[in-house]
Amino acid sequence: MLNPNLFNIPKIIIALDFCNKKSAMKIVNLLNPSIYYLKIGKEMFTVLGCQFIKELHQLGFNIFLDLKFHDIPNTVFNATKAAADLGIWMLSVHASGGKKMLVSAKKALKSFKTAPLLIAITALTSLKEEELKEIGIQMSLKEYILTLSKLSNDCGLDGIVCPGKEAKKIKSLFGDKCKIVTPGIRVAEDALYDQNNIITPKEAKKYKIDYIVIGRSITMSKDPIKKLELIIKSMQ
Ligand code: C5P
């Protein structure tokens, strides 16, 4: 199995979006925890809770807990603290929760020796330009992403989640300290599913993205390891 850490390419986070443990473990058991990160989102967390995170930690995996917190500052402060207590590696909040909420999340991590990376969601990669207008936002998707990236960066967050096509601009504005996490990764033969702002792994490398999140491209594949190798080779 190719080791992507040997090349200067984006690190790979596998999105475990399953409705039961058995299906998730089929993928987990194929992966080397020193190479791949795992992302637990709303579906898996709702089904399996903290216990599953503990089990994955015991197997040696670093976990991105992608619960996309979006609430009043006090609630986000307490939820962020509780998440960090689990010993996770990365955590997401919605940048659209506003400055006070973002600062509260950051503050909640102050007392941790090794705090998780705090990452803000700018726009969901499923969002279309016209859908922004429906929720009352009168700027382009690009402007919206840049506005929220600036806010997150000003609030001291460690990075942002954004569609791949915006990554280059964000890196040039905020430098390498701002980690970029990009979902919506697809290779030519993949189905789009509900994603709209997609890029290929090769483009992710070109745009200097730090972490790519890959879900269905791998998890729905008949041969996930072969598919991973193909993705890694395409980035070399
Ligand atoms: O299956 P697919 O590769 O499309 O999965 C993408 C993953 O990234 C999902 O788990 C989804 O929740 C997550 N995500 C996203 N767009 C964001 C943030 C997270 O698609 N802006």
Side-chain angles (χ1 to χ4, degrees), residues 50-151:
C50 301
Q51 183 52 35
F52 189 46
I53 292 178
K54 287 178 189 158
E55 287 172 34
L56 295 173
H57 277 156
Q58 272 164 11
L59 293 174
F61 285 97
N62 285 311
I63 306 295
F64 171 16
L65 186 60
D66 184 25
L67 295 181
K68 303 185 177 70
F69 292 151
H70 190 179
D71 214 313
I72 58 171
N74 182 59
T75 302
V76 168
F77 179 92
N78 291 325
T80 301
K81 218 160 178 276
D85 275 332
L86 292 171
I88 52 160
W89 158 74
M90 183 182 272
L91 177 69
S92 62
V93 294
H94 266 291
S96 57
K99 190 174 182 175
K100 281 190 193 147
M101 192 206 83
L102 293 172
V103 170
S104 284
K106 185 71 193 167
K107 252 194 201 155
L109 298 177
K110 248 187 166 172
S111 59
F112 289 84
K113 230 181 177 176
T114 31
L117 292 171
L118 187 63
I119 304 289
I121 312 285
T122 54
L124 298 170
T125 36
S126 56
L127 208 65
K128 283 187 181 158
E129 188 104 30
E130 57 266 31
E131 288 177 285
L132 270 189
K133 306 269 176 311
E134 286 169 7
I135 54 170
I137 291 157
Q138 304 300 332
M139 45 173 102
S140 70
L141 188 57
K142 211 181 177 106
E143 281 174 299
Y144 184 62
I145 291 168
L146 284 179
T147 303
L148 291 180
S149 300
K150 182 173 183 321
L151 178 69

Side-chain angles (χ1 to χ4, degrees), residues 15 17 39 66 68 121 123-125 161 183 186 195 213 215-216:
D17 294 321
K39 183 175 90 70
D66 184 25
K68 303 185 177 70
I121 312 285
L124 298 170
T125 36
V161 182
R186 295 290 186 269
Q195 298 284 20
V213 176
R216 287 163 287 188

Side-chain angles (χ1 to χ4, degrees), residues 1 11-18 24 27-28 30-32 35-41 44 56 61-64 66 89 211-220 224-225 227-228 231-232:
M1 175 74 189
K11 303 227 177 312
I12 300 175
I13 304 174
I14 305 289
L16 287 183
D17 294 321
F18 293 103
I27 293 287
V28 171
L30 296 173
L31 302 171
N32 181 341
I35 297 178
Y36 298 102
Y37 301 83
L38 298 178
K39 183 175 90 70
I40 300 289
M44 288 253 80
L56 295 173
F61 285 97
N62 285 311
I63 306 295
F64 171 16
D66 184 25
W89 158 74
Y211 300 96
I212 51 174
V213 176
I214 316 178
R216 287 163 287 188
S217 178
I218 298 290
T219 56
M220 304 286 270
I225 290 297
K227 190 70 180 281
L228 259 174
I231 288 172
I232 295 164

